[in-house]
Amino acid sequence: RLRKWQRKIRISGATERNLAFALSELDRDSSRLGLPRSVREAASVVYRSAVENKLIRGRSIEGVVAASLYAACRRCNVPRTLDEIAEVSRVSKKEVGRTYRFLTRELNIKLPPTSPVDYVPRFASELGLSGEVQSRAIEIIEKAMEKGLTSGRGPTGVAAAALYIASVLLGERKTQRDVADIAGVTEVTIRNRYKELTEQLEMGVTL
Amino acid sequence: MTDVDIKIENIVASAAIGKDIKLTKVSKALEGVDFNREQFPGLVFKLKEPKTAALIFSSGKLVCTGAKSIDDSILAINKTVDLMRTVDKDIPHEFEIKIQNIVASANLEATLNLEAVALELENTEYEPEQFPGLVYRSQDPKVVLLLFGSGKVVCTGAKTKDDAKLGVERAYDRLSELDLI
DNA sequence: GCTTTAAAAAGTAAATT
DNA sequence: AATTTACTTTGAAAAGC
């Protein structure tokens, strides 16, 4: 009896230590990403439910924390790319993605794919673009989605191209290099996307 | 039911010749062989006709990949085993061959709005940040489909050509029912 | 889980020319 | 900027870590 009790204490002690480690890891990653407290809390909720459902088995705490953060960012509409998550955590992009899929499947979390619109505010502010440019970029993205020009394309590339076009249209021109660096895509991708957008949406733009 | 043309792109088959093999010995009889025991326990042998690759194990089992038809897959295995027999006369002429996986492609001839498909169709995964295709796990037949915005489809996990074809056709009909195509 | 093989889809990336 | 090469995803088997 006594042994069983001691074992329980030992286990709960280990559980608490793991949770404490996970939460500190979560804080560290969140700080590096500059995420608001609300997102950290959302991520900790995901992490705790993962623990409750015994989904940590065979997985690293860092990996589950990173995946929880990725999921929370998406749910709160302040998405971070897998590359950004992988950069601040010590988990590979592949691991984060696989753990994310596992968690969402096991916890029955259905998150729609990230909309390029959700990347506009962050990219725009980092580029020092006005609210008008942001609004115009969002209009472009919404039209693109209606016409099926976003299926299969990376959300960041679409957001980057829309911001680039909007910046030129409203006289706040940014170079493709600047936008590409902030969005984490290449100039070639921006070029491919914006050609597609200007051609298939009725924009008679000459950039 | 809607008829959709399927093209087999790759077949994975396994064979078990009932006899242990000395890989070092066999490697001398075959041309262009890769073999690094530390890296992978199998011997890699590439055949030019049919263009396939075979993995040969010391247990006498092998895996053949790359064939575009079941006949080619069987032919490739027989050719490979015939070559192995030049250095090991005791290899049986009669052995089992199993088709393990068939990869096929098809075209639905209609563009797809993947975000809509992801919302309406069950058992799907769509993460455009990682891969442009939507993953659809069909339960019957049990195959996995990759659906693209262009309407092109890849079917994998099938054991028979009929299952691959049926998987694509049922997916097409399902998309029609849901008014997604 | 990983290692190795082959092949398609479409997007993205990086190295060459 | 066009080409080429290459990596992302899916499935399955083999023997062993």
Side-chain angles (χ1 to χ4, degrees):
Chain A
R1 212 95 313 122
L2 179 61
R3 187 149 291 276
K4 187 177 178 183
W5 198 38
Q6 288 179 321
R7 190 180 171 204
K8 247 185 189 174
I9 289 175
R10 201 188 73 226
I11 291 175
S12 66
T15 300
E16 300 234 343
R17 271 198 304 280
N18 285 341
L19 183 59
F21 173 68
L23 293 180
S24 70
E25 196 73 0
L26 183 58
D27 265 348
R28 186 183 63 100
D29 294 349
S30 299
S31 298
R32 297 191 187 185
L33 289 168
L35 294 171
R37 206 161 271 81
S38 58
V39 178
R40 302 187 192 194
E41 282 164 17
S44 76
V45 169
V46 175
Y47 183 85
R48 285 168 193 274
S49 57
V51 173
E52 286 168 18
N53 291 77
K54 303 189 301 177
L55 302 179
I56 318 290
R57 285 182 180 179
R59 259 163 268 273
S60 69
I61 292 177
E62 293 91 335
V64 178
V65 165
S68 299
L69 246 192
Y70 176 71
C73 287
R74 279 177 60 164
R75 183 182 301 182
C76 297
N77 296 313
V78 285
R80 254 60 193 174
T81 63
L82 286 174
D83 280 317
E84 291 173 316
I85 297 286
E87 252 183 63
V88 300
S89 63
R90 87 192 115 173
V91 185
S92 71
K93 175 181 181 177
K94 196 169 182 176
E95 250 291 296
V96 181
R98 133 173 43 216
T99 306
Y100 165 77
R101 283 181 222 160
F102 177 73
L103 290 186
T104 51
R105 198 171 59 234
E106 297 299 315
L107 297 175
N108 290 314
I109 297 174
K110 314 287 191 210
L111 292 178
T114 303
S115 167
V117 168
D118 292 335
Y119 282 111
V120 169
R122 182 157 62 94
F123 292 169
S125 78
E126 288 185 57
L127 287 164
L129 290 168
S130 68
E132 287 69 51
V133 171
Q134 293 188 39
S135 300
R136 193 75 174 80
I138 290 173
E139 282 177 31
I140 293 171
I141 292 170
E142 288 174 341
K143 284 196 172 62
M145 293 181 84
E146 285 171 20
K147 297 197 175 181
L149 298 178
T150 59
S151 276
R153 277 109 201 180
T156 52
V158 175
L163 273 170
Y164 172 69
I165 294 172
S167 78
V168 174
L169 289 178
L170 301 190
E172 291 180 42
R173 182 174 205 132
K174 286 288 180 272
T175 66
Q176 293 182 1
R177 250 259 75 72
D178 289 337
V179 182
D181 287 341
I182 295 296
V185 296
T186 62
E187 294 171 85
V188 177
T189 294
I190 291 188
R191 221 166 282 139
N192 289 336
R193 292 303 127 243
Y194 98 69
K195 280 178 185 168
E196 209 167 58
L197 295 177
T198 54
E199 282 172 21
Q200 299 192 46
L201 297 182
E202 79 306 316
M203 295 184 280
V205 197
T206 306
L207 303 175
Chain B
M1 178 184 296
T2 313
D3 187 83
V4 181
D5 271 337
I6 256 59
K7 181 188 179 192
I8 292 182
E9 304 285 0
N10 182 30
I11 290 181
V12 178
S14 63
I17 56 182
K19 183 178 183 302
D20 280 11
I21 300 297
K22 281 276 180 292
L23 295 184
T24 51
K25 185 176 180 183
V26 178
S27 65
K28 291 165 187 166
L30 277 36
E31 279 183 49
V33 167
D34 277 356
F35 185 36
N36 298 298
R37 190 150 243 146
E38 308 77 25
Q39 189 182 32
F40 188 70
L43 169 343
V44 181
F45 173 60
K46 298 189 179 182
L47 195 67
K48 312 81 200 151
E49 192 52 49
K51 185 168 177 287
T52 53
L55 303 177
I56 306 169
F57 301 87
S58 57
S59 63
K61 292 185 176 180
L62 54 154
V63 173
C64 173
T65 64
K68 297 278 188 193
S69 73
I70 292 179
D71 285 346
D72 274 358
S73 186
I74 293 172
L75 178 60
I77 290 174
N78 283 323
K79 277 195 174 185
T80 301
V81 175
D82 282 345
L83 287 174
M84 290 167 64
R85 205 141 34 212
T86 65
V87 292
D88 190 339
K89 305 293 186 186
D90 298 331
I91 294 177
H93 284 73
E94 216 54 48
F95 51 87
E96 184 186 17
I97 295 178
K98 270 190 183 174
I99 300 301
Q100 301 288 173
N101 184 30
I102 292 178
V103 181
S105 63
N107 191 343
L108 302 184
E109 304 291 350
T111 59
L112 296 173
N113 182 315
L114 300 182
E115 21 282 307
V117 176
L119 285 177
E120 309 295 332
L121 192 61
E122 68 293 345
N123 303 314
T124 60
E125 276 183 2
Y126 175 48
E127 296 292 330
E129 188 186 327
Q130 282 208 255
F131 187 70
L134 177 150
V135 181
Y136 172 52
R137 287 162 206 285
S138 157
Q139 300 301 294
D140 182 29
K142 194 172 178 304
V143 297
V144 174
L145 303 181
L146 301 180
L147 305 177
F148 297 86
S150 64
K152 298 279 188 61
V153 185
V154 170
C155 175
T156 185
K159 296 277 198 223
T160 65
K161 183 176 181 180
D162 284 346
D163 271 357
K165 182 173 168 64
L166 188 59
V168 174
E169 291 176 338
R170 286 199 171 154
Y172 183 95
D173 288 341
R174 202 68 200 103
L175 290 169
S176 294
E177 285 172 17
L178 297 171
D179 207 37
L180 293 167
I181 198 170

